[in-house]
Amino acid sequence: MKMHDHPDINYPAYEWPEGKRCAVVFSLDLDAESPFLWASRGQDIRHLGEIEQRRFGPRQGLANVVRLFGEYGIQGSFYVPGVVAETYPQLLPFLLEHGHEIAHHGYYHERIEAIPPAQARDYLLKAQALFKAQTGRTGLGHRAPSWEMTADFLQVLEQSGVSYDSSLMGFDHPYHVGNMVEVPVQWTSDDALYFRYTNSTRDKTHPANPVAVLESWIEEFEGVRETGGLFMVTIHDWISGRGQRLRLLRKLIEHVRRDPQVWWARADEVAAWHAASANAGRFRVPAHAIQTHFESQD
Ligand SMILES: [Zn+2]
C-alpha cells in the first residue's frame, strides 16, 4: 500500500527572477482578538487579560511593524480575518497606503477543517465582499487560519477567484496543488511558537529569548539561501509589535539585507512569479493526490 498517490522524488532546483538565489517574504497574520473570540463564541467573556493583550495589535503593534518595514522599504503581506477588518475599518486602507499586500485569513479565524465545507465557503465569500466594499480589491490571496487546509477548500478558493494560497509546507518554495499556487509557510519562522504567551493553560512555557530566536531565524534563512528556497517569516500584530521583538526583526532584516542576491517580495508577487515562470510546470501536485486514505496491512 502506498502512502502517497503521486510519489515523485526528482525535482530540479527552483528558478528565481533575475538569477536570484532565494526569496524572502515578511508576512503578518493580523489576528488581533479574532481567534480568542471564535474559541469563546457563545460565552460571556468577563476576563480581560487575553483580549486586551490581543487588542494591543491593531492599536499599536501593527503601526510599529509598518513603521519598521517602512524604514527599510519592505512591502509585506498582511493576512486579515474579515471580522478584524470589519471591527477596525481603517486597517485595510492603512496597509494599502503603505504599499503592503492585503489578503484573506478566514472571517472569524475559523479553522477550515473543523466546520462544515459550506460554512467555510460562506465565510470566505463574506470576507471577499467586505474587502471589496472597503478597498475595491478582488482576486486577493489567502492564508488559512492556523495553517490548516482541506482539499475541498483548495477547490473553493480556486472557484472563488482567490489568486493563491499560503498555508501548506509541501515544498520550501512555491508549488501548485491542482491549479492553485501554494506559497509555503514554515513553523520555524513563525513568531507565535516562541513568543505567544497569554497565561492560559494552552501556553506551554514562557516567551523565548529573542536573541536565541534571532540566531535560529538567521540559521533558517542561511539554510534556505543554500537550498534556494523561500524564507517566509510570519509574525503577528499582537506578538511582534512589541519592544524586544521589533529589535529582533530589525536585526534579522539587517542580516538578510547583506546579500544582494536575495529577492525581497510580497507573497502575491512570489505567487505571480511562480505561475508565469518555468517553475509552474515542474512543481505540481495533482489535487486528487494530496488527500489520503491509508490502512496498514498488519
Ligand atoms: Zn491567524
Side-chain angles (χ1 to χ4, degrees):
M1 178 170 290
K2 289 192 298 182
M3 299 183 293
H4 192 328
D5 201 18
H6 185 70
D8 288 359
I9 61 165
N10 269 311
Y11 292 96
Y14 197 84
E15 290 180 20
W16 293 108
E18 298 165 18
K20 301 274 186 186
R21 58 196 293 176
C22 67
V24 58
V25 172
F26 278 82
S27 70
L28 186 145
D29 294 358
L30 218 169
D31 293 347
E33 63 262 50
S34 63
F36 175 75
L37 294 176
W38 175 252
S40 317
R41 61 194 182 281
Q43 303 166 23
D44 288 331
I45 302 164
R46 296 179 57 245
H47 49 304
L48 293 176
E50 180 168 348
I51 201 164
E52 274 293 287
Q53 185 186 352
R54 287 175 167 277
R55 284 172 177 159
F56 167 84
R59 287 178 188 156
Q60 285 190 292
L62 177 71
N64 290 341
V65 171
V66 166
R67 201 175 303 117
L68 178 68
F69 285 2
E71 277 184 48
Y72 292 94
I74 295 170
Q75 293 186 341
S77 297
F78 290 71
Y79 299 89
V80 187
V83 71
V84 175
E86 184 187 327
T87 305
Y88 303 95
Q90 300 150 309
L91 269 185
L92 298 182
F94 170 77
L95 291 169
L96 290 174
E97 268 168 36
H98 287 81
H100 300 301
E101 173 192 359
I102 55 167
H104 298 296
H105 194 47
Y107 200 89
Y108 296 104
H109 206 276
E110 64 281 0
R111 282 184 67 127
I112 288 158
E113 89 289 5
I115 58 174
Q119 193 179 14
R121 179 176 171 276
D122 288 349
Y123 286 158
L124 172 67
L125 299 183
K126 190 172 152 83
Q128 287 180 312
L130 181 81
F131 275 50
K132 187 179 179 188
Q134 289 192 341
T135 68
R137 301 288 178 106
T138 59
L140 302 170
H142 170 269
R143 173 174 286 168
S146 309
W147 298 353
E148 197 46 270
M149 178 51 68
T150 68
D152 291 346
F153 199 67
L154 281 169
Q155 278 194 335
V156 169
L157 294 178
E158 197 185 321
Q159 290 158 2
S160 308
V162 165
S163 56
Y164 72 90
D165 179 62
S166 178
S167 314
L168 300 173
M169 308 178 201
F171 284 86
D172 72 352
H173 53 66
Y175 64 110
H176 270 96
V177 180
N179 293 319
M180 181 56 59
V181 176
E182 184 61 43
V183 179
V185 287
Q186 169 59 266
W187 287 119
T188 309
S189 43
D190 179 334
D191 65 349
L193 268 71
Y194 307 96
F195 302 121
R196 184 192 184 285
Y197 186 81
T198 61
N199 198 27
S200 75
T201 50
R202 189 181 145 170
D203 297 323
K204 298 176 187 73
T205 183
H206 58 78
N209 174 353
V211 178
V213 177
L214 174 65
E215 187 179 353
S216 170
W217 285 3
I218 286 176
E219 279 301 300
E220 177 67 10
F221 165 69
E222 290 296 338
V224 167
R225 203 157 67 109
E226 286 170 14
T227 60
L230 167 67
F231 181 52
M232 171 68 79
V233 178
T234 301
I235 59 174
H236 295 76
D237 50 309
W238 64 284
I239 298 175
S240 277
R242 289 185 184 268
Q244 54 163 227
R245 293 144 210 182
L246 291 165
R247 288 170 59 82
L248 155 63
L249 284 173
R250 182 185 295 283
K251 290 172 189 166
L252 179 67
I253 291 166
E254 296 274 5
H255 179 92
V256 174
R257 270 161 52 99
R258 285 191 210 143
D259 183 351
Q261 285 303 99
V262 173
W263 185 38
W264 291 75
R266 303 185 311 253
D268 59 342
E269 294 172 317
V270 171
W273 161 255
H274 180 77
S277 66
N279 300 296
R282 296 173 185 161
F283 307 99
R284 191 177 282 271
V285 181
H288 73 267
I290 58 164
Q291 224 163 0
T292 299
H293 177 82
F294 184 78
E295 283 170 30
S296 69
Q297 288 169 328
D298 17 277

